[in-house]
Amino acid sequence: MRFLSYLMSGLGLGSVYAIIALGYTMVYGIAKMLNFAHGDIIMIGAYVSFFALTRFGLPVLAAVPAAMAVCTVLGVLIERMAYKPLRQATSLSVLITAIGVSYFLQNAAQILWSSSTKVFPAVISNGALQLGELSISYLTLVTILTCVVVMVCLTLFINHTKTGSAMRACAEDKGAAMLMGINVNRIISLTFAIGSALAAIAAILLCASYPQVFPTLGSMPGIKAFTAAVFGGIGSIPGAFVGGLLLGIIEILSRAYISTQLSDAIVFGVLVVVLLIKPTGILGRKLSEKV
Amino acid sequence: MTKKKNLFQILVDDRHRARTISYTMVIAAYIIVEAMLRSGNLSNLFINLLVPVTCYMVAAIGLNLNVGVSGELNLGQAGFMAIGAFSGICLSGFFADTIPAVPRLMLAILFGALLTALMGFLIGIPVLKLQGDYLAIVTLAFGEIVKNLIMNLYVGFDRTGLKVSFVQQTFTLEEGGRILLNGPMGSTSTQKISTFTAGMILVIIALAIVYNLLYSRHGRAIMAARDNRIAAESVGISVSRTKMLAFVVSASLAGAAGVLYGLNYSTLIVSKFDFNTSILILVYVVLGGLGNINGTLIATVILFLLPEMLRSLQAYRMLIYAVILILIMLITNNQSLRAGLQSLRNRGKKDE
């Protein structure tokens, strides 16, 4: 029973990672860039929902769309201003720009809202669902459910709508997609919009379980989720889902059974081992090198 | 063509020009700073930055070999610095009463560099099997693992010898013993033996190592493997061996830099060498120009001092730093600007 309850909280944490990882993986799949500023979008989402809940006294169901809207606008704005001019640049230049954006967001947050930690209000009641001996907190349930809903909606969107197939086409071959009359720039913006909106959802779920808001809040979950995306095979949407869940489970189980202090080393160690066995992640596509 | 060249001609020769400029710059910088130190023209704030800036220079020279020359993105350079720093701190602490400061510093740097080279080799075996972004992620992962492991390391010594434990401090020290590494608290009460002169000498040594490597047969092999892996393999270059060479040298330079850094502070926590530090060094390398050692040196000094020079702007300084970073990237990658510069350069060549 103990094990099952650890597994459930691992799934809960993993669901948050999975939602963040989706943002990384979609942007990588389509824009072929590592968006290091993604973690900081989560931070902005956390602050926006914090103020929506406390200063404006909005209910949770109104705070979520508010945070999503702000993050979406911010994500698209960043893409237009900082990344779009670099479409032809080397991937390292784009990486450094993303790091610059990340510094910018963190320091802007520090100036606007000070570096002191703010306590996030409780958004989901503390109760738990009893299934025999197993008790699952409502928070874990809501987190897992949200992740599943997000995943299903996203899969349906990607596979069964016109825009979704345009996105897949862009991921496959940007030049060919352009020749087919797809507005590639619009698709890339849309990808950033979706990724950022998901980051806002992740922000609220994250703050519901770890109720602290501070300017560097996004960096560690960002790195972990990024690891999850690579773990599952970067660029693959089901990969991000699987990778996120697995990472969450590994983290919670190693904390529970091996060592709290060493959990980070174990998580990253597993990543190294997985990449050595499958160099492109669990569900990643094989890379072929052309002569 | 076969006319014998005098020394001056050799120094200004294209192939050696970068090398000459590097050494001249470093020595000139050393003389100027030393003169200012002697005459007391430097503020305390600036004096405290002298050793760290040389550390970052050495680590960045190493990283440029890895990222610029060998072409493999490394996001874990700070991890190697951490290995160097804490091994150096332990060695220096252990011999604190038996060896005087200068030889102890040399010994610590040598030990740290060799240990990180070994670690670089061991980590390189799995890492260099991967390619591109996946390789970058694994270096990131190793950086985090190293940080996490050192954070759980307890080292102390007394009359009976060195005592090491993991996760928890399980040993007790006899009277007169000292704790060298205290888990998450890092090192405490380290003797500060790093000096600016030592830092500058280390920079010169790093330059000598990297330039000699670059202009050797191995250096050309590394660049060939970067430019076209398959073509390099087809002419008999062992790509994995050349990449490993660049990786190990880069790691050991970071380790040496770490030792110098660690012995410059009486207390040091491991989180100083986190992902952000790796990124910081990478920014120096990319902004300085990939594969360009002089660029790395200049970019490191400017970018390291920039936040300090912006100190009067207080809270806004890192914000401005971030904006400068983004703007540099946008401007240097601007297509029309690049084309303009190129045509200017071509015109200049025609005039010659």
Side-chain angles (χ1 to χ4, degrees), chain B residues 136-206:
Chain B
I137 303 316
V138 174
T139 55
L140 187 160
F142 268 114
E144 292 294 315
I145 293 174
V146 165
K147 192 185 84 182
N148 199 239
L149 292 183
I150 296 180
M151 215 180 262
N152 287 292
L153 198 61
Y154 294 82
V155 181
F157 80 101
D158 57 15
R159 271 178 303 159
T160 52
L162 205 63
K163 297 184 173 178
V164 181
S165 77
F166 202 57
V167 179
Q168 267 160 356
Q169 186 180 342
T170 50
F171 54 83
T172 48
L173 294 173
E174 283 179 29
E175 225 185 278
R178 252 210 308 267
I179 185 108
L180 296 170
L181 257 187
N182 196 6
M185 314 279 292
S187 70
T188 46
S189 64
T190 311
Q191 256 188 41
K192 296 197 269 183
I193 53 174
S194 294
T195 58
F196 176 58
T197 310
M200 279 315 224
I201 293 172
L202 194 63
V203 172
I204 298 270
I205 294 174

Side-chain angles (χ1 to χ4, degrees), chain B residues 302-314:
Chain B
I302 293 179
L303 289 173
F304 187 80
L305 296 181
L306 188 63
E308 305 299 328
M309 289 191 276
L310 294 173
R311 205 167 264 273
S312 56
L313 300 161
Q314 286 158 5

